[in-house]
Amino acid sequence: MKDMVKASGNTGGGNGTGITRRDFIKTSAAASLAAAIPAGLGLYAAGSEAIRVAVIGCGGRGTGAAIDCMDAAPGVEVVAMADLFAERIQSSLAKLREKHADKVKVRLERCFPGFDAYKKACALPEANLIIMAAPPGFRPIHFRAAIEAGKHVFMEKPVAVDPVGVRSVITSSVLATEKRLAVVAGTQRRHQARYLEVMKRIHDGAIGEVVGGQCYWNQGELWVVKREPQMSDMEWQCRNWIYFTWLSGDHIVEQHVHNIDVMNWAFRATPVKVMGMGGRQVRTGPEYGNIFDHFAVELEYPNGARVLSMCRQTAGCSDRIEERVVGTKGSAFGYGEILGPNAWKFEGDEVNPYVQEHADLIAAIRAGKPLNEGRRVAESTLCAIMGRMSAYTGQAISWDWAMKASKLDLSPVRYEFGPHAVDPVAVPGKTPLI
Ligand SMILES: NC(=O)c1ccc[n+]([C@@H]2O[C@H](COP(=O)([O-])OP(=O)(O)OC[C@H]3O[C@@H](n4cnc5c(N)ncnc54)[C@H](O)[C@@H]3O)[C@@H](O)[C@H]2O)c1
């Protein structure tokens, strides 16, 4: 991976944070007392030590994940915030304080804007858990920095946008295991009761041998950030990140990775070969960057089974977000249902899986038990990337080639605000396989 070359960002606050002290105090009125108290070190007995969180990427999910983490267990505090844009830190902080004023111990000098904000957050001795929810193109570099700094990690999916990034995440995950650090990925279905129960039944043979399946993420359109005249290429792309392959991986990677991960879970394997197609038929304007709006991909598993994977972001069409696993003696749905001789339906209670994943992470950290989902989520991310690469180029792709030989690295040469040309939209049969 190329390294972050240059720190940048809005540092107009005069205190290096991009946030004025007056603004900081304004958003912290309700919690100003709590904010003044330093993060407690050693406040909790052994086995329940304080979890002190630094958030990297303070948008919708970073804010949500920080709240989920504080909801998940006692003794969790948020101590630092890092984002490319200072105003995202401000708005996120206001939401955190609204929900958990007593647990938010963020000081102005622990708010970091800019491309190198992640380095400062990872280096903080006050933080022992890093929540990562910046666009996935940055994840491999952020993850490596956190593990090298000896921090536990919660990282949102997907964890890379290209095979070079996937290999970096796997290397960092190995280092995390060596350092006895816990890593949980935001594939919340892996922590959701209905999924856990249906998977246990599948693996115990309730539908016989698994011989096929289908998975879908078909939905309408998402938000768009319009380009303002003062925005550089880089600023606009980072704000409108879901539409640029180097930042999001395309929607097959950014969203559909959830369903592909479930199929890998059912098969207890990753596909040996992937062949897909897709295109950009409805969202064709420049505000939609260079991603496709639909994909259909076939995943071939080691036992010869073939799985159809389909995803679409188009308004006015049928929606379906689901996984169906086909066996020799029945079929199963990820949401918790089995059809066939061993018919069953999930009827239990369920903790919000977005909270449960943090509860599991915190329990593992406090018990000193190994929990590292880094390699698994990196592999599922690679499957989705292979689907995109196959659709973009028109070529079938083998797992071994993608994992070991592909040299695709979409990261820009320099991370700084300024010119950054958009790669052309892929054309199957012409776009080269790298
Ligand atoms: N598990 C889930 O169900 C789920 C749901 C939504 C999003 N996500 C994932 O969470 C991640 C974030 O998505 P979101 O919806 O919160 O997007 P968002 O746009 O709301 O937030 C992203 C934030 O990252 C910031 N950012 C951009 N570049 C950065 C950098 N280099 N360093 C630090 N911060 C940077 C942005 O300014 C923004 O505040 C994505 O990977 C997405 O796929 C997961």
Side-chain angles (χ1 to χ4, degrees):
M1 294 293 293
K2 296 176 207 99
D3 271 314
M4 296 287 186
V5 177
K6 189 172 169 190
S8 192
N10 312 334
T11 51
N15 48 31
T17 66
I19 302 170
T20 64
R21 190 159 286 278
R22 180 180 303 199
D23 280 346
F24 185 80
I25 289 167
K26 208 162 45 189
T27 59
S28 67
S32 54
L33 189 62
I37 301 168
L41 295 172
L43 275 179
Y44 302 90
S48 61
E49 81 256 34
I51 303 294
R52 299 179 306 274
V53 176
V55 184
I56 301 176
C58 307
R61 190 80 273 277
T63 307
I67 291 171
D68 295 334
C69 190
M70 290 188 279
D71 283 341
V76 180
E77 299 163 347
V78 176
V79 300
M81 315 273 290
D83 197 285
L84 193 49
F85 303 109
E87 82 274 7
R88 301 303 295 256
I89 298 177
Q90 286 269 67
S91 55
S92 175
L93 200 44
K95 286 185 190 130
L96 299 190
R97 285 181 166 144
E98 214 177 285
K99 197 87 179 47
H100 283 297
D102 55 326
K103 297 181 181 180
V104 180
K105 308 279 174 72
V106 179
R107 298 170 176 179
L108 184 53
E109 61 274 22
R110 292 200 298 248
C111 294
F112 306 116
F115 280 112
D116 67 350
Y118 75 101
K119 288 187 187 164
K120 296 174 186 163
C122 291
L124 270 183
E126 291 89 348
N128 55 7
L129 169 64
I130 311 288
I131 288 180
M132 298 183 179
F138 296 106
R139 196 92 69 249
I141 296 167
H142 292 179
F143 183 50
R144 187 176 64 198
I147 298 303
E148 282 176 351
K151 312 295 183 181
H152 304 291
V153 168
F154 172 84
M155 59 176 166
E156 264 309 338
K157 48 41 67 175
V159 296
V161 296
D162 51 41
V164 171
V166 166
R167 291 195 281 270
S168 163
V169 169
I170 291 173
T171 302
S172 301
S173 299
V174 171
L175 186 62
T177 299
E178 285 165 16
K179 292 186 162 196
R180 303 178 60 79
L181 296 169
V183 178
V184 162
T187 35
Q188 64 275 5
R189 288 163 177 75
R190 296 269 185 169
H191 299 260
Q192 187 167 3
R194 62 186 64 239
Y195 277 90
L196 286 158
E197 288 208 21
V198 82
M199 281 300 165
K200 184 173 181 319
R201 284 173 164 76
I202 292 171
H203 293 156
D204 287 348
I207 60 167
E209 192 199 342
V210 177
V211 290
Q214 299 85 29
C215 62
Y216 314 85
W217 192 298
N218 292 344
Q219 68 154 72
E221 294 191 350
L222 288 173
W223 51 267
V224 178
V225 175
K226 290 251 156 61
R227 185 165 188 162
E228 304 290 343
Q230 78 281 1
M231 286 182 188
S232 65
D233 295 344
M234 193 63 150
E235 177 178 348
W236 178 58
Q237 288 170 35
C238 287
R239 288 191 184 276
N240 197 28
W241 65 268
I242 54 177
Y243 300 107
F244 298 95
T245 307
W246 76 269
L247 282 159
S248 69
D250 207 321
H251 66 100
I252 185 173
V253 180
E254 201 269 313
Q255 294 189 310
H256 192 38
V257 64
H258 279 302
N259 320 100
I260 292 174
D261 180 60
V262 169
M263 299 314 296
N264 290 351
W265 190 7
F267 278 89
R268 287 187 279 200
T270 49
V272 289
K273 197 186 260 184
V274 169
M275 186 171 71
M277 60 182 72
R280 182 178 159 102
Q281 188 173 1
V282 178
R283 291 188 313 201
T284 54
E287 67 274 30
Y288 300 115
N290 58 0
I291 68 168
F292 281 7
D293 54 24
H294 62 279
F295 291 90
V297 176
E298 180 188 79
L299 312 169
E300 192 176 324
Y301 282 88
N303 68 348
R306 293 183 181 193
V307 167
L308 167 71
S309 124
M310 195 193 280
C311 59
R312 174 172 65 198
Q313 286 182 346
T314 309
C317 302
S318 298
D319 293 345
R320 184 183 289 171
I321 298 174
E322 188 177 84
E323 308 89 14
R324 176 171 177 265
V325 183
V326 178
T328 49
K329 292 189 205 150
S331 57
F333 291 89
Y335 61 76
E337 184 165 14
I338 288 180
L339 303 178
N342 295 313
W344 163 86
K345 197 162 185 181
F346 178 82
E347 279 167 354
D349 286 332
E350 194 170 68
V351 176
N352 175 351
Y354 289 96
V355 174
Q356 187 62 52
E357 59 191 355
H358 288 279
D360 294 343
L361 171 62
I362 293 164
I365 294 171
R366 288 181 169 160
K369 281 209 182 127
L371 175 59
N372 185 343
E373 301 180 348
R375 175 183 286 273
R376 191 263 301 156
V377 73
E379 289 178 349
S380 292
T381 298
L382 183 63
C383 297
I385 291 170
M386 287 166 66
R388 180 199 74 216
M389 289 171 73
S390 178
Y392 277 13
T393 62
Q395 308 304 316
I397 299 178
S398 77
W399 175 266
D400 282 348
W401 178 84
M403 183 56 101
K404 294 178 193 152
S406 168
K407 294 188 168 46
L408 189 68
D409 177 357
L410 298 174
S411 56
V413 178
R414 298 176 71 78
Y415 289 91
E416 60 185 11
F417 292 115
H420 186 247
V422 179
D423 283 340
V425 175
V427 181
K430 297 206 169 123
T431 295
L433 188 61
I434 297 170

